[in-house]
Amino acid sequence: MTLTILIWLPLAIALVASQLPAQWAGRIAVLNSLITLGIAIDFLARFKLGHAGLQFVTDKVWISSLGIHYKLGLDGLNVALVVTTCIVFCAAMLWSAPRTWDRPRTFYFQFALAQSGVLGAFCAQDLALFVAFFDLMLIPFFFLSGIWGGEDRVRATTKLVIYTLVGSFFMLVGAIATGVLAASQHGTSLTFVLSSLQALPLSHSSQIWIFLCFAIAFLVKMPLVPFHGWLRDGYKAMPIPAVAVFSAILSKVAAYGFLRIVLPLFPYAAVHFQVVMLVIALVSILWGTVVAFTTPDARLVVAYSSVAQLGFITLGIFSLHPDGGQGALLQMVNHALVTAPLFFIVAALAERAGGSEKLADMGGIAFRAPILATLALIITLATLAIPGSSNFIGEFLILFGVFNAKLGISMIAALGVVGAAVYALRLYIRALHNRVGPRVTSFEITVREAVPVVGMVLVILVLAFYPQFGLKRSAPSLRSSIAAAQLQGAVGSRQVAQAP
Amino acid sequence: MSFVLTLAVAHLKGPHIDWASFMPFVILGGGALIVLLVGLLGGSEHTATRGRVVPVLTIAVLAAFMVIGISRFHHPASIIAGALSVDDLALVLDMIFAVAAIACVLLSLRARAPETAGHGEYYALLLFSVLGMSVLVSAQDLVTLFVGFELLSIPLYVLCASEYRREGSLESGLKYLVIGSVGSATLVYGLALVYGATGATSFSAIANRISGGALATGVLGDPLLLTGLGLVLVGFAFKASVAPFHQWTPDVYEGAPTPITAFMATATKAAALGVLLRFFDVAAIDLQNIWAPAMATIAAITIIVGNVGALGQSSIKRMLGYSSVAQAGYMLTGVVVGTRLGVDATVLYLTVYLMMNLAAFAVIMGVQDERSDGDDISGIAGLGARSPWLAWPMTIAMLALAGIPGTVGFIGKFQLIHALVNGDYTWLAIVLVLGSMISLAYYLRVIAAIWMRSPTPSPGPGYTAESSRRILAPIAGGSPEADALGSDGAATAAVSSSFSTRFPEVTLVAVVFGAACVVFGIFPSPLFDLAAHAGQAIGGLF
């Protein structure tokens, strides 16, 4: 069983399903995501602990004249994310299957394509392959939000796609330049394999501009302030399963890109821009928190809370400290597991509030729906990182890492933890408690709503009791990912010390 | 009279001709004449038969041309005293012309243009144009270069106007004729100056004179030669629709019959860029430090102008016209760097460009046959629900033109950027990328229209392709068969609801090239090999 099967199976099954009767499409999609999840768990079970290197490597020459390989592999950085991806897709399919969609075969085909693209981006160990998957996974979302989206969808979709593809083009230039300049600066033949590129460090000036190319692509995809222009319209326009997957998974691919590509390949630039990136992360945390606290729209509360959460993740990555990085990785998984069911909850609330996602139209829903309220409460508490949750450990590790690197920034960032409690509880109280909203007709959670949410809540609980599960696997790989940057930082500070 | 002729023949000793290597040209030229003559057979009662026989014959000629070309692969030959060189670069480009021409024939099968202009004339002109392109890219000499250039252009002027019952087509032909003539005049003037400066007409001799330092050396080198080179560049720029000599492109593309637009967009562009490669990367390569900055500037301007121009277009043909301007700019960057990699990248992009555009134009052709306003972006609204066999190729073509991974467009841009970064033109790579970003806006608009908008009703009931054919009165004189057609409105195609059964050949072209865009986007190695072989033909680069 190779990673190739894991990546392409969703697409292959969806291609077959697109020729079968339309009424089967939903069930096949659920089955498809379950099979993929099973394969991913099988990989997780066979994953050997304590190894920093890649496992389950597939390495074939793809385009020989450009030195591009079809190289896939799992290590501590991506194994948890791959499983999380499969879990979230599974939940999204379980949520979609009982509902009716226009042109169902195309709808589920887009999700399968997205899953193949995301899994490919996580597993790719070749720079060009990563770029290809990174762009590929966007295409299905163009259709998902453009065809099945809400009002004003075409404009919002175009905006979203242009924003992210512009970033991708920068990344394309950066990727090609990395390969070409590495080959010319070291006099070797052209290669894009990440492990080979790591052995061919670029000159400092090249690193700086290439870093910027990659950073733009990743920051737009996450998004962090000030690259978030598409966020509001994009998240409002997407159908619920699409926005759940997009917010939970696609933003993580960008964060993962920093750990997989940017830190190992451009360590000098990572140190050079450390403060800039930390400040961007910090601004995103504060700005996301403030807007999430003030926006009147339930879906946008979740959307802007993810800006703040991704700010935390970026903060952890650019602490350039092993603990911060560990926290960032853990938080990526946590946020993915929390944000997807939150969107499902928002959809359930909107259904009870006459289809409106405005907080003002909600309220008092918990009265007739105690189970729904309980589930929502668990997810809310996880979101605000209550001690005992895995999110708490993630945020703690991140702040701990930043504390070691930049004391001042970590102190301001801690405000974000407080802010998260404010906006998460506000969402919960305004929607589920308070006076019963004008258009609210509350009823208990239905089976079709419950299945995906309960599944995700169980995973959240498991991770809360056993956060070591992820941390144990990621530690060695993470250390090797940030080793170069740490070394660079140490050299830099020594030079500064010697300068006077 | 015959005595004089014999005398002349006896005294004129022509160069030796290697007929085996010359065969591709013979086949095209001879085939064109046969097609023309077959088109004249029979009276007006055999119109329908002619409409079937002549295209088949044309495709047979083109297929023979391709077979001969493939068999000559890896056997570079210089023929007719070094005037023509049938090497791998020429052969790869010949394949592009032939594929474009075959697609054009298939798209023309039910089009109005060949019926109006007469089947024999229409297809013979197409073949002559291919012959001209083939001569042009094989040319190793200023004289053959110009012969090829004119042989390519003149049939196209006529073909653009071949649907002469429609004002747009006539306007397009006239516009192309006037502007194309200016381009030709500029080119021939430039060629004359180059000859005047170097005293040689063959490319290798010109390169020798330049590198031998036999020319005046001023601040900018030899002014006569540089003026000549500049005018030559302008001449080619007209043909390749490079800004600021591109203004004719959208008008001509919009007005010309769609099959001819498809052919012009792909084959003419390939020919013009092929000869640019030959001329600037062989003959004038030693002056690269002088012409490259100028050409780089032009390329950058072209990319920006083309992409910005395409933004506001509502006619898809016009939009693709501007997009082809931008794409010409992309490909020109491969010429600018003047390295083997640059040549490879340009040739690769030409093949890629062929697939993307043929798929797109085939879809436009299909939609146009279905609806009278098919060329407008509202005509393809809701195509995804209406006829998925056209919607998917169009979607793929647009994604490929935008350069999305998984399509050939990504591979083409990847290799171009690779060549640019490698040749120290990173700023031009950035311009290319900026251009691609702008282009997203208009390519995505088409995809959005296909999948995300509901179809708008066709303007006015009954105004279909059939009836509009009858409405149009003759504007200029035409063949007797066309007038007969115009008066009695014969040859009405059976109308059925399913599009793909109505126009199988148009759908076929769209699907084949749409699939090629994806297949070669995932497995691009054959394209790289092809481009690398073609690049080897241009020696002396590193």
Side-chain angles (χ1 to χ4, degrees):
Chain A
M1 182 91 65
T2 63
L3 287 172
T4 304
I5 295 178
L6 172 72
I7 292 174
W8 296 112
L9 190 72
L11 187 60
I13 294 180
L15 275 175
V16 175
S18 66
Q19 302 305 319
L20 297 174
Q23 64 266 31
W24 297 359
R27 266 166 279 174
I28 293 176
V30 171
L31 192 68
N32 190 357
S33 65
L34 281 172
I35 294 173
T36 316
L37 177 61
I39 297 175
I41 290 174
D42 174 57
F43 274 108
L44 183 70
R46 289 189 290 142
F47 188 84
K48 288 193 203 65
L49 291 174
H51 287 275
L54 290 174
Q55 305 182 25
F56 318 111
V57 176
T58 303
D59 191 355
K60 289 197 173 61
V61 177
W62 180 25
I63 307 174
S64 58
S65 42
L66 292 177
I68 297 177
H69 285 229
Y70 175 74
K71 187 179 179 188
L72 308 169
L74 286 183
D75 65 3
L77 292 183
N78 54 10
V79 66
L81 289 168
V82 165
V83 177
T84 313
T85 303
C86 294
I87 293 174
V88 172
F89 268 97
C90 207
M93 290 301 95
L94 283 170
W95 193 90
S96 311
R99 289 164 173 79
T100 49
W101 300 93
D102 189 28
R103 277 184 271 165
R105 282 175 294 191
T106 322
F107 179 79
Y108 293 109
F109 176 81
Q110 303 292 353
F111 270 103
L113 181 61
Q115 189 170 8
S116 287
V118 172
L119 289 175
F122 276 132
C123 294
Q125 301 297 334
D126 181 289
L127 196 51
L129 192 64
F130 177 82
V131 174
F133 277 121
F134 192 82
D135 287 354
L136 188 65
M137 69 187 186
L138 179 70
I139 300 303
F141 286 93
F142 176 58
F143 291 106
L144 281 173
S145 74
I147 301 178
W148 292 276
E151 55 192 278
D152 202 15
R153 57 181 188 268
V154 175
R155 197 183 60 83
T157 308
T158 311
K159 195 168 166 186
L160 157 77
V161 171
I162 288 178
Y163 254 94
T164 42
L165 278 185
V166 164
S168 298
F169 276 127
F170 275 115
M171 184 165 73
L172 178 62
V173 177
I176 298 173
T178 309
V180 174
L181 294 179
S184 68
Q185 286 173 7
H186 294 268
T188 57
S189 57
L190 190 63
T191 178
F192 286 94
V193 179
L194 288 175
S195 52
S196 318
L197 286 175
Q198 218 169 329
L200 307 169
L202 292 172
S203 72
H204 289 180
S205 54
S206 319
Q207 280 193 23
I208 284 184
W209 74 264
I210 296 174
F211 175 93
L212 290 176
C213 289
F214 277 93
I216 289 174
F218 293 147
L219 291 179
V220 167
K221 194 79 159 196
M222 279 181 169
L224 289 193
V225 180
F227 302 97
H228 63 285
W230 57 269
L231 176 86
R232 188 187 183 91
D233 295 343
Y235 274 34
K236 276 305 276 183
M238 277 189 235
I240 284 290
V243 75
V245 169
F246 199 98
S247 170
I249 300 298
L250 266 73
S251 57
K252 304 306 174 297
V253 180
Y256 163 79
F258 275 119
L259 283 175
R260 168 66 72 198
I261 291 165
V262 172
L263 296 194
L265 293 190
F266 320 117
Y268 172 79
V271 174
H272 186 86
F273 288 111
Q274 184 187 12
V275 176
V276 178
M277 296 300 295
L278 287 177
V279 168
I280 288 179
L282 193 61
V283 171
S284 303
I285 293 173
L286 298 178
W287 186 87
T289 306
V290 169
V291 181
F293 180 58
T294 48
T295 181
D297 189 294
R299 193 195 286 215
L300 287 181
V301 173
V302 187
Y304 286 109
S305 81
S306 29
V307 174
Q309 293 290 323
L310 282 157
F312 266 111
I313 290 168
T314 313
L315 206 63
I317 293 170
F318 278 90
S319 68
L320 303 181
H321 186 275
D323 288 333
Q326 280 278 35
L329 260 186
L330 185 60
Q331 196 61 8
M332 284 189 217
V333 175
N334 290 336
H335 179 245
L337 294 175
V338 165
T339 197
L342 259 184
F343 279 112
F344 298 148
I345 296 277
V346 168
L349 296 177
E351 215 169 299
R352 284 156 183 76
S356 162
E357 289 179 354
K358 294 245 178 302
L359 279 175
D361 294 335
M362 297 176 178
I365 290 175
F367 186 60
R368 290 190 185 281
I371 301 178
L372 174 66
T374 314
L375 290 170
L377 185 64
I378 296 173
I379 299 168
T380 308
L381 292 179
T383 307
L384 62 83
I386 197 159
S389 71
S390 178
N391 299 53
F392 173 74
I393 300 164
E395 289 190 1
F396 178 80
L397 281 171
I398 289 170
L399 289 175
F400 185 74
V402 184
F403 189 82
N404 282 321
K406 306 279 174 212
L407 181 62
I409 288 177
S410 86
M411 293 180 80
I412 305 174
L415 289 177
V417 183
V418 183
V422 178
Y423 65 70
L425 288 176
R426 170 177 173 263
L427 173 66
Y428 179 75
I429 295 168
R430 294 280 294 272
L432 286 145
H433 291 290
N434 279 6
R435 188 169 300 160
V436 177
R439 295 159 64 192
V440 171
T441 43
S442 183
F443 51 90
E444 187 49 285
I445 191 163
T446 58
V447 175
R448 62 175 195 176
E449 286 169 343
V451 171
V453 176
V454 169
M456 300 286 287
V457 165
L458 286 178
V459 180
I460 292 172
L461 290 177
V462 168
L463 210 57
F465 286 114
Y466 193 46
Q468 278 300 318
F469 191 78
L471 294 176
K472 218 162 53 186
R473 282 166 178 74
S474 61
S477 311
L478 193 98
R479 271 198 292 276
S480 73
S481 161
I482 62 172
Q486 266 189 306
L487 192 69
Q488 194 72 49
V491 171
S493 56
R494 207 177 308 136
Q495 278 166 352
V496 171
Q498 283 167 355
Chain B
M1 186 62 201
S2 69
F3 171 73
V4 179
L5 203 65
T6 323
L7 203 68
V9 168
H11 281 82
L12 270 174
K13 207 158 123 282
H16 169 71
I17 295 176
D18 175 7
W19 286 99
S21 304
F22 196 56
M23 264 327 262
F25 304 103
V26 175
I27 287 180
L28 274 182
L33 290 175
I34 292 170
V35 165
L36 186 62
L37 291 175
V38 170
L40 294 176
L41 289 178
S44 55
E45 68 272 21
H46 291 106
T47 309
T49 323
R50 244 191 333 260
R52 259 170 262 138
V53 172
V54 172
V56 171
L57 201 59
T58 315
I59 291 181
V61 170
L62 288 165
F65 173 64
M66 284 183 84
V67 170
I68 293 280
I70 291 168
S71 73
R72 305 295 313 170
F73 229 73
H74 304 321
H75 299 93
S78 178
I79 50 175
I80 322 187
L84 291 170
S85 162
V86 185
D87 53 20
D88 285 358
L89 174 64
L91 289 173
V92 168
L93 290 171
D94 282 353
M95 295 301 121
I96 294 179
F97 307 148
V99 169
I102 289 175
C104 175
V105 173
L106 289 175
L107 296 185
S108 302
L109 280 183
R110 280 166 231 241
R112 222 177 301 153
E115 282 173 25
T116 334
H119 290 98
E121 290 88 331
Y122 181 87
Y123 292 111
L125 284 170
L126 185 69
L127 287 176
F128 276 123
S129 186
V130 175
L131 176 62
M133 293 172 182
S134 185
V135 170
L136 182 64
V137 297
S138 297
Q140 291 292 318
D141 190 288
L142 299 183
V143 178
T144 32
L145 186 154
F146 190 68
V147 170
F149 194 82
E150 287 298 275
L151 188 53
L152 132 73
S153 309
I154 293 170
L156 278 180
Y157 302 147
V158 184
L159 284 173
C160 280
S162 59
E163 212 178 290
Y164 55 77
R165 280 163 204 284
R166 193 164 51 80
E167 230 172 299
S169 176
L170 284 179
E171 182 199 331
S172 144
L174 187 63
K175 202 169 258 178
Y176 196 28
L177 171 66
V178 172
I179 297 189
S181 309
V182 174
S184 295
T186 320
L187 175 70
V188 76
Y189 198 24
L191 294 178
L193 290 183
V194 170
Y195 172 68
T198 57
T201 58
S202 105
F203 288 178
S204 53
I206 293 172
N208 282 339
R209 295 288 157 78
I210 293 173
S211 64
L215 302 165
T217 47
V219 183
L220 283 169
D222 188 293
L224 194 60
L225 179 63
L226 287 183
T227 316
L229 284 182
L231 291 176
V232 170
L233 179 58
V234 170
F236 290 140
F238 270 112
K239 196 93 316 188
S241 53
V242 166
F245 312 103
H246 68 286
Q247 274 94 348
W248 59 274
T249 315
D251 291 348
V252 172
Y253 276 28
E254 189 191 14
T258 308
I260 297 302
T261 312
F263 179 69
M264 276 202 302
T266 50
T268 313
K269 193 134 299 186
L273 278 147
V275 73
L276 271 170
L277 281 176
R278 282 260 200 239
F279 190 83
F280 282 94
D281 285 354
V282 175
I285 188 67
D286 281 309
L287 290 176
Q288 201 211 359
N289 56 345
I290 296 175
W291 58 256
M295 204 191 273
T297 315
I298 291 181
I301 295 173
T302 308
I303 291 171
I304 300 298
V305 165
N307 280 317
V308 172
L311 282 177
Q313 302 302 328
S314 64
S315 148
I316 304 181
K317 273 163 88 181
R318 275 188 88 82
M319 193 244 350
L320 282 174
Y322 274 109
S323 131
S324 89
V325 173
Q327 309 268 342
Y330 301 157
M331 289 186 266
L332 199 59
T333 61
V335 184
V336 169
V337 290
T339 58
R340 256 301 299 281
L341 211 53
V343 177
D344 286 7
T346 307
V347 176
L348 181 78
Y349 205 93
L350 281 171
T351 58
V352 163
Y353 178 77
L354 172 83
M355 299 175 199
M356 306 187 288
N357 268 322
L358 285 183
F361 278 110
V363 175
I364 296 178
M365 185 68 205
V367 179
Q368 242 177 354
D369 275 345
E370 198 186 34
R371 297 165 58 106
S372 53
D373 62 340
D375 174 39
D376 194 85
I377 196 153
S378 63
I380 59 160
L383 193 68
R386 210 160 71 230
S387 42
W389 287 101
L390 288 180
W392 277 110
M394 190 66 165
T395 309
I396 293 169
M398 290 297 123
L399 290 176
L401 282 165
I404 305 295
T407 63
V408 280
F410 176 73
I411 304 291
K413 282 201 179 126
F414 198 108
Q415 181 71 331
L416 274 178
I417 296 174
H418 175 198
L420 286 171
V421 175
N422 189 273
D424 280 335
Y425 271 99
T426 309
W427 70 267
L428 203 51
I430 302 279
V431 174
L432 195 157
V433 167
L434 287 175
S436 307
M437 292 172 188
I438 302 172
S439 74
L440 285 174
Y442 56 89
Y443 291 132
L444 291 180
R445 213 156 59 95
V446 175
I447 300 179
I450 292 177
W451 296 101
M452 298 162 200
R453 292 191 201 288
S454 47
T456 50
S458 202
Y463 187 78
T464 61
E466 259 75 57
S467 58
S468 68
R469 194 175 294 175
R470 239 171 281 152
I471 289 163
L472 291 172
I475 296 172
S479 64
E481 62 190 79
D483 287 337
L485 190 88
S487 55
D488 63 6
T492 44
V495 178
S496 78
S497 56
S498 169
F499 180 79
S500 49
T501 53
R502 245 172 83 204
F503 301 104
E505 71 282 347
V506 174
T507 314
L508 178 78
V509 173
V511 169
V512 164
F513 287 103
C517 283
V518 172
V519 170
F520 287 115
I522 298 171
F523 304 106
S525 290
L527 293 184
F528 277 104
D529 291 347
L530 207 65
H533 285 307
Q536 273 164 6
I538 293 191
L541 299 177
F542 54 87

